[in-house]
Amino acid sequence: MGNDEEERAIVNSLKQTVKHTSRRKAANKPSKHRDPIIRIAPKSASDCLENSSSGPGSSPQLGVSPPLDHGLSQENGVSMLQDGSVDSFSPKHGDHPAARSVLPISADDSVLLMHFLDNVFPLQYPMYKPGILEEGRGWLLTLLLQTEPLYHAALALSAYHRCSVVPAEVSQPYQVAALVQQEKHLEICTTLVHQSAQNCCPNIGLGIVASVVQLVFFELFTGYGNTWQIHLRAAVNMYQSGYKKNLTPFGLAENSRTILCEDRPLLEYEHMAVEEVVSFRFLSGTIIWLDITSSITAGRAPYLLPYHTCIVASNSQTKLEGIMGCRNWVMLLIGRIAALHEHKIQAMRQQHFDCTELKQTVAAISREIQCGLSQMSLEAFNIPKRDSVTMLEPILDLPTLVTHIFAYMASFYLHLVIEGFQKLEKLDTTISEVMRMLQTGIPTRILPALVSPLYVIGSVARQGDEQFFRDIFTSPPLLDQSLKHRGRILPMLEEIWSKRQTARLFAWEDSLELTHDMLLI
């Protein structure tokens, strides 16, 4: 794909993001018979930006002008983009974020911002525990306060979450006010993203990509169909284009780009590059994670599969276990299995099925899974001198525990791709092992990091184990009023269990008809 085609693809992705979000917002508008809500409907994005007292968006150093009509001239941040420098939502080359001032924000926005940092972000990334060298979550606050569309995307999700978790007896005016806050911030975010699309410039910037990723979570959590897929595709396109150009479009400082391109670990004396490097690696890992996870239920290869061995190799400095809990090697295998499924289906349709090649690929993946499981079992458990070898004392750190469960998932996923829901008796021993771990060795607090393994393992559950999955998907912490998409998972499993009993030759691709618009996080 040439540069012009890449730029057009990015612009189209951004426009699709705005278009589909706008449709969702239109569908979410209160109906006419609900007069109180109509009377306090949020202002237009232009009015919100011009009159809002919230700060980061009005900072002149961000270089973002209020959204204007499409026919009007673009100035300030837009001219920066047209000049070919960094985008208006990213730090300038050589301009360290800490040196840039941020105007005060309103009291309402302060509440939403802190609620996002304290409650919503941990809900999105339950396994994220940054180390001292990464300087905690400081990079996140900097990125939020210097990236106006990301700031408003975060506040929109924060307003939604606050509204969804308040007690039922809270008055309707509070609920209405929260909805107005949510839609106001969402509209500002999408307007600014649209503004960036109108610029038709390839220098999208890290902030815009992060904003679109945040919209993935917003649309998923609020339960508005498959709109999250549009946002994820746009984020993947932008990331892919920037990666192929040595990260230049992301507006990173030269030292930061060097560290990232050479995949070097951060050193103590490289303090000035910490925020950019950490934020970029976090965003890279997030996009890879979401891309692989979405491929499971979409029945396709991950879009970024050709880049996996470069970005998230086993020894890469981008470590998925620090973002979503599972180590790189297992996620890479899951991506390969998704690609294998797509290849198998296409070959069967085209009648070019090479059974020998398929068996070799399956055997290679299976060996890697079993070697990994064996290695983790040797490292993870201390077998005390007792009469029964079933009395094991796990000494696992949480990423190892999560990775172990994901590795079991990969084993079951591989079987389903090749055999469908037939010959499940081959999995009896492995199912017994993983069920023992789930029932006795998994701390409740890490269950939100195990949504996709729980779904895949649950789909092959034996009759005696089905109740475990019913209980776990209808109880906290997996059951959460603010995570609408998770409420659909148990009905999907129930349908699969029913089809296993009644449908002859029920295959994995048949089950995907239930899950094509589901993201298992």
Side-chain angles (χ1 to χ4, degrees), residues 30-44:
S31 59
K32 292 183 178 180
H33 70 274
R34 297 180 68 181
D35 291 336
I37 299 180
I38 291 177
R39 286 197 293 269
I40 61 170
K43 300 178 182 179
S44 67

Side-chain angles (χ1 to χ4, degrees), residues 155-309:
L155 265 56
L157 186 54
S158 180
Y160 163 75
H161 184 264
R162 277 171 55 84
C163 182
S164 65
V165 299
V166 295
E169 61 269 17
V170 172
S171 62
Q172 185 185 19
Y174 177 89
Q175 301 280 354
V176 170
L179 177 61
V180 170
Q181 279 187 316
Q182 170 189 315
E183 293 302 304
K184 178 192 77 171
H185 290 295
L186 181 63
E187 188 165 9
I188 295 173
C189 170
T190 54
T191 300
L192 292 173
V193 171
H194 190 200
Q195 215 178 42
S196 180
Q198 291 295 328
N199 295 332
C200 298
C201 177
N203 291 333
I204 296 299
L206 193 63
I208 287 292
V209 182
S211 304
V212 177
V213 169
Q214 193 61 34
L215 288 174
V216 173
F217 285 99
F218 181 90
E219 298 293 351
L220 183 69
F221 288 3
T222 53
Y224 287 99
N226 63 353
T227 307
W228 63 266
Q229 294 174 327
I230 305 298
H231 301 324
L232 180 57
R233 191 71 177 101
V236 166
N237 285 343
M238 289 184 281
Y239 179 84
Q240 183 178 23
S241 177
Y243 186 84
K244 285 161 54 173
K245 297 176 182 177
N246 293 321
L247 315 186
T248 301
F250 296 120
L252 302 171
E254 186 64 28
N255 187 38
S256 300
R257 283 204 307 121
T258 300
I259 294 171
L260 290 166
C261 289
E262 296 178 359
D263 198 31
R264 286 166 32 197
L266 277 168
L267 302 176
E268 292 182 7
Y269 62 83
E270 293 174 315
H271 172 76
M272 298 296 286
V274 167
E275 284 189 345
E276 285 190 339
V277 171
V278 171
S279 59
F280 183 84
R281 284 174 175 164
F282 184 89
L283 183 62
S284 297
T286 296
I287 293 175
I288 292 287
W289 162 44
L290 297 179
D291 183 33
I292 292 175
T293 303
S294 69
S295 71
I296 297 170
T297 50
R300 57 158 177 81
Y303 294 121
L304 293 173
L305 182 68
Y307 304 91
H308 283 183
T309 54

Side-chain angles (χ1 to χ4, degrees), residues 233-469:
R233 191 71 177 101
V236 166
N237 285 343
M238 289 184 281
Y239 179 84
Q240 183 178 23
S241 177
Y243 186 84
K244 285 161 54 173
K245 297 176 182 177
N246 293 321
L247 315 186
T248 301
F250 296 120
L252 302 171
E254 186 64 28
N255 187 38
S256 300
R257 283 204 307 121
T258 300
I259 294 171
L260 290 166
C261 289
E262 296 178 359
D263 198 31
R264 286 166 32 197
L266 277 168
L267 302 176
E268 292 182 7
Y269 62 83
E270 293 174 315
H271 172 76
M272 298 296 286
V274 167
E275 284 189 345
E276 285 190 339
V277 171
V278 171
S279 59
F280 183 84
R281 284 174 175 164
F282 184 89
L283 183 62
S284 297
T286 296
I287 293 175
I288 292 287
W289 162 44
L290 297 179
D291 183 33
I292 292 175
T293 303
S294 69
S295 71
I296 297 170
T297 50
R300 57 158 177 81
Y303 294 121
L304 293 173
L305 182 68
Y307 304 91
H308 283 183
T309 54
C310 298
I311 301 172
V312 286
S314 296
N315 59 348
S316 171
Q317 295 302 313
T318 300
K319 301 184 184 301
L320 295 179
E321 66 262 31
I323 299 170
M324 46 74 66
C326 179
R327 295 203 172 101
N328 293 11
W329 69 270
V330 178
M331 293 304 293
L332 289 175
L333 288 175
I334 292 172
R336 286 171 59 189
I337 297 170
L340 177 66
H341 174 261
E342 181 183 49
H343 175 72
K344 173 192 168 187
I345 297 301
Q346 289 178 350
M348 292 176 67
R349 288 173 180 169
Q350 298 169 5
Q351 297 183 343
H352 293 155
F353 192 75
D354 187 337
C355 188
T356 302
E357 179 186 4
L358 177 68
K359 288 181 178 179
Q360 290 175 347
T361 304
V362 170
I365 294 175
S366 181
R367 279 195 302 271
E368 290 189 51
I369 294 173
Q370 294 307 317
C371 287
L373 282 169
S374 299
Q375 183 64 30
M376 285 188 294
S377 295
L378 290 173
E379 296 173 352
F381 289 98
N382 171 38
I383 304 179
K385 294 180 180 180
R386 297 181 181 175
D387 294 336
S388 174
V389 296
T390 61
M391 300 295 291
L392 303 179
E393 294 182 356
I395 53 172
L396 297 139
D397 60 278
L398 293 184
T400 300
L401 189 56
V402 171
T403 302
H404 210 129
I405 299 298
F406 268 85
Y408 278 120
M409 166 200 167
S411 180
F412 299 146
Y413 182 30
L414 182 62
H415 177 95
L416 290 170
V417 164
I418 302 305
E419 303 282 0
F421 292 91
Q422 285 70 54
K423 303 179 182 179
L424 292 182
E425 63 276 5
K426 291 182 177 180
L427 303 177
D428 276 348
T429 300
T430 314
I431 291 175
S432 297
E433 292 172 359
V434 73
M435 289 305 301
R436 183 177 63 172
M437 285 188 68
L438 289 173
Q439 292 170 332
T440 64
I442 300 295
T444 303
R445 67 182 183 276
I446 71 168
L447 288 176
L450 300 174
V451 174
S452 54
L454 286 169
Y455 174 81
V456 174
I457 297 168
S459 69
V460 298
R462 299 167 298 195
Q463 285 189 329
D465 295 326
E466 291 170 353
Q467 190 59 44
F468 170 82
F469 295 95

Side-chain angles (χ1 to χ4, degrees), residues 5-158:
E5 292 179 347
E6 288 179 5
E7 292 173 17
R8 283 195 295 271
I10 293 172
V11 171
N12 289 335
S13 294
L14 287 171
K15 289 180 178 178
Q16 288 294 313
T17 292
V18 175
K19 180 175 71 174
H20 285 268
T21 303
S22 299
R23 288 177 180 173
R24 188 211 64 77
K25 286 164 41 184
N28 191 43
K29 286 184 179 179
S31 59
K32 292 183 178 180
H33 70 274
R34 297 180 68 181
D35 291 336
I37 299 180
I38 291 177
R39 286 197 293 269
I40 61 170
K43 300 178 182 179
S44 67
S46 298
D47 292 338
C48 290
L49 279 172
E50 291 169 1
N51 300 328
S52 173
S53 59
S54 58
S58 57
S59 170
Q61 297 198 6
L62 288 175
V64 180
S65 58
L68 306 172
D69 291 337
H70 298 166
L72 299 181
S73 63
Q74 305 290 320
E75 299 177 355
N76 298 331
V78 175
S79 64
M80 290 170 60
L81 282 166
Q82 291 171 339
D83 289 342
S85 62
V86 298
D87 72 290
S88 54
F89 309 118
S90 299
K92 302 175 185 177
H93 288 293
D95 182 10
H96 186 252
R100 305 175 69 196
S101 61
V102 178
L103 296 180
I105 63 177
S106 70
D108 286 345
D109 283 8
S110 296
V111 171
L112 289 178
L113 181 60
M114 292 311 300
H115 184 80
F116 175 81
L117 293 171
D118 292 341
N119 299 283
V120 181
F121 188 77
L123 194 65
Q124 294 174 268
Y125 304 95
M127 295 297 293
Y128 181 60
K129 301 292 186 289
I132 295 177
L133 189 60
E134 297 173 342
E135 300 184 352
R137 292 184 296 167
W139 65 269
L140 174 62
L141 184 59
T142 297
L143 196 61
L144 284 166
L145 295 180
Q146 294 185 343
T147 311
E148 189 173 12
L150 176 61
Y151 171 83
H152 289 289
L155 265 56
L157 186 54
S158 180

